[in-house]
């Protein structure tokens, strides 16, 4: 291919800039002025070439050796250096490091440290383009080591199955920290994996910037034409350590010499002199000018103060602001089962906002294993009610990508127990993003949970406490049909990740009056479902039914008035209502179906003890399941494992204290 001289000159400047920053950062480390740097020295042609070949509207998801993505996308140097050096004026306000952030205005979505996690996110971004019929694609980078991660395979499977406009770029630089690629990958070419997913695969000389541009340009053309994803393996080499403190002693000297001779800058400079119409003096002049710009920006950043903040400001950054939830809709009510209320909430959310879509296993024609989404695909079509393969991590990651593009995905876990397979995407990706770089993520994860149905240890768990411990997630646990619909509609409209747990036992056993029109119930508002003066039970989910039954029993047997509070939402939870009730009753019992150790009841009991100790006439009591996996035998579950038979004696003891 013939390249115009002006094109080559501009490309040359783009290639020199990240190399100049690399040289600057290495010099500052040697001077002791900075302490850490993940170097991409010798790999610049991959990041620069890929970004150069992409359109400005395309979304790129780089890693920490892809500095050239940021510079080629014309990210201003001074704030970029502040970010790299952790100074005031950086993009994350000191909340994350180097390239762990996104810049929507530059169509860049940064990484997290967990390998491969951003590949499914790229699928969601590409799916958004596909849904809207818009001409942009997603291009995600990963290293050779990350191709062994499950997210790599889940992302490739999803992208190929749906023919998504995605380019997966494997930056094969020979080592995963100190482990040679040949000791981690059992084939010579990682690109061979493409054939197993029915997509185009290609090995590219990653140290030849023009070869990179051609390969990415071809892959982009295929993606824009609807031919689906490509897997491009860029062969390059890591000339520095994993990070500077690691060194390179484990790398054979002959290998370093071999790859030094293939340096992408040296190769391109030689090409410019022989074919591009530039002289060596011109090349040196460009290098000198860029080095000066880089030095100025680095000194500017080093002169900036350390990042400062206060606890209130940091807490405020965890969640995106939530629109005001208006009071429940007035109008007719009608009897509904718990499952019908959820289904109605999904349908009305989708009718009210075309950005709402559903993802999950068997949710379309089959209607989901519990039939919650039955009939929705006929109304809204297969692009808005979409079956996924069995890829929990891939589906949750894709939902994050959809949310980054302004959609409102609802992901169904077939059973809440299986969310463990997508745990990293939930707790490390979804939960942290707004705090780190301010991106709202409107993702709702529906998770059928709970026991009392004889389903055994892998289909009965109540694992809500896992997620209550993670800042950045909201946790919802409705106990009635009315709450199930109103809380679901609020969750779907919330610009933050929400885990919405729906109890399987309540699906068809619980009925109640539900407003026909859409309405919202604010997250974080508890409901006093039974008034009392002698003791307070704080609970949620199936525990509400257990508590009401015991309150009625005590009212009849000893004229005791027990107040029952349904938390409804665990994060945020309604401390004021609970403390107000204890102020009235003087006694507290917290009840939940989940196991006892580190269960959410401990948080409630501890908070009341810390902030309302003087209100208590007796020690707080926790009633929870045994610390066991959920047994399959109903006799074992109901009589040994369950919290329910422990409730009456515990409540009697509390009242008698």
């Amino acid at each position: 291919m013939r390249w115009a001289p002006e094109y080559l000159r501009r490309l040359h400047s783009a290639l020199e800039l990240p190399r100049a920053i690399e040289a600057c950062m290495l010099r500052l480390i040697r001077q002791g002025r900075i302490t850490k740097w993940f170097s991409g020295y010798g790999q610049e042609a991959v990041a620069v070439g890929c970004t150069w070949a992409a359109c400005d509207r395309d979304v790129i998801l780089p890693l920490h050796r892809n500095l050239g993505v940021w510079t080629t996308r014309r990210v201003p140097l001074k704030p970029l250096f502040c970010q790299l050096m952790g100074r005031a004026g950086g993009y994350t306000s000191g909340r994350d490091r180097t390239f762990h952030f996104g810049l929507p205005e530059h169509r860049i979505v940064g990484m997290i440290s967990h390998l491969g996690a951003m590949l499914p996110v790229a699928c969601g971004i590409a799916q958004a383009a596909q849904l809207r019929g818009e001409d942009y694609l997603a291009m995600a980078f990963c290293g050779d080591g990350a191709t062994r991660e499950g997210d790599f395979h889940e992302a490739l499977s999803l992208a190929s199955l749906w023919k998504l406009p995605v380019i997966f770029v494997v930056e094969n630089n020979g080592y995963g920290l100190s482990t040679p690629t040949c000791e981690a990958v059992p084939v010579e070419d990682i690109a061979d994996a493409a054939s197993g997913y029915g997509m185009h695969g290609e090995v590219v000389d990653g140290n030849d910037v023009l070869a990179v541009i051609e390969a990415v340009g071809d892959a982009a053309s295929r993606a824009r034409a609807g031919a689906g994803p490509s897997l491009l393996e860029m062969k390059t080499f890591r000339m520095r350590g994993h990070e500077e403190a690691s060194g390179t002693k484990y790398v054979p000297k002959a290998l370093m010499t071999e790859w030094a001779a293939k340096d992408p800058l040296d190769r391109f400079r030689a090409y410019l002199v022989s074919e591009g119409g530039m002289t060596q003096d011109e090349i040196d002049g460009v290098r000198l000018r860029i080095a000066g710009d880089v030095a100025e920006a680095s000194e500017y950043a080093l002169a900036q103060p350390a990042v400062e903040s206060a606890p209130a400001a940091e807490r405020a950054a965890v969640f995106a602001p939530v629109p005001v939830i208006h009071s429940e809709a007035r109008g007719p009510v009608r009897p509904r089962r718990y499952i019908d209320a959820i289904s109605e909430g999904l349908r009305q959310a989708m009718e009210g906002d075309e950005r709402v879509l559903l993802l999950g296993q068997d949710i379309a024609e089959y209607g989901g294993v519990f039939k919650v989404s039955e009939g929705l695909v006929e109304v809204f079509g297969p692009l808005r009610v979409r079956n996924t393969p069995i890829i929990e991590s891939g589906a949750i990651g894709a939902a994050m990508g959809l949310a980054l593009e302004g959609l409102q995905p609802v992901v169904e876990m077939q059973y809440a127990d299986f969310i463990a397979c997508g745990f990293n995407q939930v707790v490390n990706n979804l939960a942290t993003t707004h705090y780190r770089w301010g991106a709202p993520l409107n993702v709702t994860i529906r998770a059928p949970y709970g026991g009392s149905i004889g389903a055994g240890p892998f289909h009965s768990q109540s694992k809500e406490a896992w997620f209550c411990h993670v800042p950045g997630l909201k946790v919802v646990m409705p106990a009635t049909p009315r709450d199930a619909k109103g809380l679901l509609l609020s969750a779907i409209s919330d610009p933050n990740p929400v885990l919405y747990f729906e109890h399987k036992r309540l699906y068809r056993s619980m009925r109640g009056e539900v407003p026909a029109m859409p309405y919202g119930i604010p997250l974080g508002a508890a409901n006093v479902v039974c008034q009392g003066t002698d003791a307070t039970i704080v609970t949620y989910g199936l525990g509400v039914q257990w508590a009401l039954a015991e309150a009625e029993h005590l009212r009849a047997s000893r004229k005791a008035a027990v107040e029952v509070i349904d938390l409804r939402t665990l994060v945020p939870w309604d401390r004021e209502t609970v403390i107000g009730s204890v102020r009235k009753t003087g006694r507290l019992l917290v009840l939940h179906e989940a196991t006892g150790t580190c269960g959410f009841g401990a948080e409630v009991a501890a908070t009341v003890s810390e902030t309302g100790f003087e209100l208590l006439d007796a020690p707080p009591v926790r009633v929870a399941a045994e610390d066991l996996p959920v047994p399959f035998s109903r006799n074992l579950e109901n009589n040994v494992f369950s919290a329910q038979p422990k409730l009456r004696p515990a409540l009697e003891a509390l009242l008698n204290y």
Side-chain angles (χ1 to χ4, degrees):
M1 179 182 294
R2 296 293 299 174
W3 308 87
E6 179 57 30
Y7 178 94
L8 294 174
R9 286 174 182 269
R10 289 188 292 110
L11 178 58
H12 170 237
S13 294
L15 199 56
E16 290 283 3
L17 180 52
R19 174 61 62 90
I21 295 174
E22 292 279 0
C24 175
M25 299 300 274
L26 296 175
R27 182 176 65 254
L28 293 172
I29 283 178
R30 294 188 186 105
Q31 294 171 349
R33 302 177 72 191
I34 62 173
T35 59
K36 204 172 189 68
W37 176 243
F38 289 90
S39 176
Y41 194 104
Q43 302 173 208
E44 295 92 345
V46 177
V48 172
C50 287
T51 310
W52 190 270
C55 296
D56 286 347
R57 61 185 177 277
D58 297 333
V59 180
I60 303 180
L61 298 89
L63 300 178
H64 43 352
R65 301 191 205 286
N66 301 133
L67 168 63
V69 171
W70 307 81
T71 57
T72 306
R73 280 276 163 102
R74 301 174 296 282
V75 174
L77 286 183
K78 288 182 178 179
L80 181 60
F81 265 102
C82 290
Q83 172 66 26
L84 300 180
M85 295 175 177
R87 300 302 179 99
Y91 289 106
T92 66
S93 301
R95 293 172 186 146
D96 213 335
R97 60 197 302 181
T98 54
F99 301 121
H100 291 230
F101 68 100
L103 287 179
E105 65 271 28
H106 292 276
R107 300 293 273 166
I108 299 174
V109 174
M111 61 179 292
I112 64 171
S113 292
H114 302 71
L115 298 179
M118 303 310 295
L119 301 180
V121 178
C123 290
I125 292 169
Q127 186 188 357
Q130 188 182 70
L131 284 166
R132 292 167 168 161
E134 296 181 6
D135 184 26
Y136 65 91
L137 57 83
M139 180 161 51
F141 290 75
C142 73
D144 45 283
T147 66
R148 305 304 93 192
E149 291 279 326
D151 276 334
F152 173 81
H153 300 280
E154 293 190 19
L156 265 62
S157 177
L158 192 64
S160 186
L161 182 67
W162 292 352
K163 290 193 176 299
L164 296 175
V166 184
I167 302 173
F168 299 106
V169 178
V170 177
E171 194 171 33
N172 186 348
N173 62 14
Y175 282 84
L177 210 155
S178 68
T179 303
T181 303
C182 62
E183 294 183 12
V185 180
V187 294
E188 180 68 22
D189 296 325
I190 294 170
D192 289 347
S195 62
Y197 296 100
M199 70 173 66
H200 175 81
E202 185 177 344
V203 175
V204 183
D205 182 351
N207 281 21
D208 180 347
V209 68
L210 297 176
V212 172
I213 291 170
E214 284 197 64
V216 173
D218 291 344
S221 295
R222 285 190 297 272
R224 297 187 208 284
S230 296
L231 175 64
L232 304 181
E233 180 186 2
M234 305 289 177
K235 300 277 193 180
T236 183
F237 196 72
R238 200 182 72 210
M239 299 299 294
R240 309 295 301 179
H242 172 69
E243 44 86 24
E244 283 306 301
S246 303
T248 58
K249 290 183 178 179
Y250 50 85
V251 182
K253 290 183 179 179
L255 202 54
M256 296 290 286
T257 301
E258 174 190 342
W259 280 93
K262 301 176 184 178
D263 181 85
L265 271 295
D266 290 343
R267 290 173 67 178
F268 193 61
R269 292 165 187 155
Y271 177 84
L272 289 173
V273 172
S274 65
E275 304 288 339
M278 287 186 74
T279 66
Q280 188 61 50
D281 286 345
E282 289 176 315
I283 291 171
D284 292 342
V286 171
R287 294 169 64 183
L288 187 63
R289 173 181 58 78
I290 290 175
D293 293 342
V294 167
E296 179 187 358
S298 66
E299 292 300 324
Y300 168 86
L302 287 167
Q304 300 310 300
V307 177
E308 295 184 356
S309 187
E314 295 305 294
R315 287 194 293 267
V318 173
F319 291 112
V322 180
V324 175
I325 301 296
H326 299 290
S327 59
E328 294 185 20
R330 298 178 179 178
V333 298
R334 49 194 178 186
R336 283 286 183 268
R337 297 177 301 175
Y338 185 91
I339 189 171
D340 300 327
I342 296 171
S343 298
E344 187 170 273
L346 287 174
R347 179 176 56 78
Q348 290 181 348
M350 297 182 77
E351 288 172 342
D353 195 329
E354 64 181 11
R355 296 174 299 171
V356 179
L357 65 153
L358 312 183
L359 300 174
Q361 298 163 26
D362 305 299
I363 66 165
E365 291 78 11
Y366 191 70
V369 294
F370 296 102
K371 306 302 181 185
V372 175
S373 58
E374 190 170 36
L376 294 181
V377 70
E378 288 81 8
V379 178
F380 300 105
L383 292 181
R384 290 186 67 195
V385 183
R386 203 159 195 182
N387 288 330
T388 69
I390 302 176
I391 52 167
E392 284 81 7
S393 184
I396 295 170
M400 175 173 166
L402 287 161
L404 286 170
E405 290 296 289
L407 296 167
Q408 298 178 11
V410 179
V411 183
E412 178 183 302
M413 295 289 104
Q414 205 168 71
Y415 288 83
D417 315 61
F418 301 161
I419 203 171
C421 298
F423 197 70
N424 179 52
Q425 291 287 357
V426 178
V427 304
N428 289 314
N429 221 354
L430 288 178
T432 65
T433 295
H434 187 268
Y435 175 73
R436 293 185 299 116
W437 55 277
L441 291 179
N442 193 324
V443 176
T444 304
I445 300 175
R446 292 181 42 248
Y449 81 104
S452 298
I453 60 172
F458 305 122
H459 297 76
S460 308
Q461 298 177 86
S462 299
K463 292 300 185 184
E464 62 275 6
W466 284 354
F467 304 102
C468 295
H469 188 67
V470 180
L473 302 175
K474 297 187 178 184
V475 180
V476 176
M477 310 280 289
T480 68
R482 187 185 189 96
D483 288 350
K485 178 179 173 180
L487 290 169
L488 179 59
L489 287 168
S490 295
I492 292 172
S493 67
D494 195 300
N496 298 284
V498 179
L499 284 101
Y500 177 91
F501 288 94
E502 46 200 59
H503 204 290
K504 302 189 296 292
R505 177 64 184 267
L506 298 178
Y507 271 149
R508 292 172 171 81
S509 66
M510 172 59 60
R511 290 179 176 271
E513 297 292 319
V514 178
M517 299 298 291
Y519 60 95
I521 296 175
L523 305 190
N527 186 27
V528 180
V529 294
C530 179
Q531 297 281 347
T533 56
D534 296 319
T536 298
I537 300 178
V538 177
T539 187
Y540 54 88
L542 187 58
V544 174
Q545 307 309 313
W546 297 344
L548 287 172
E550 289 307 314
E552 180 59 32
H553 168 76
L554 287 170
R555 189 183 306 277
S557 65
R558 54 185 291 177
K559 308 303 182 192
V562 175
E563 186 147 296
V564 178
I565 297 176
D566 176 6
L567 286 178
R568 302 197 290 194
T569 304
L570 305 191
V571 180
W573 69 279
D574 190 345
R575 292 164 171 79
E576 291 75 16
T577 294
V578 171
I579 293 293
S581 178
V582 173
R583 181 176 287 110
K584 179 171 58 173
T585 68
R587 287 174 167 79
L588 171 68
L589 183 148
V590 288
L591 165 70
H592 53 66
E593 185 181 1
T595 52
T597 300
C598 297
F600 192 75
E603 172 67 20
V604 176
T607 299
V608 171
S609 297
E610 290 170 356
T611 62
F613 181 77
E614 73 284 355
L615 304 175
L616 292 167
D617 297 327
V621 175
R622 289 184 296 155
V623 178
E626 288 293 317
D627 288 338
L628 299 168
V630 185
F632 168 63
S633 163
R634 288 200 178 212
N635 283 339
L636 290 178
E637 181 181 0
N638 294 337
N639 300 321
V640 176
F641 172 80
S642 176
Q644 185 178 14
K646 305 174 188 178
L647 177 57
R648 181 169 297 176
L651 193 52
E652 294 276 5
L654 178 64
L655 290 169
N656 292 333
Y657 184 86

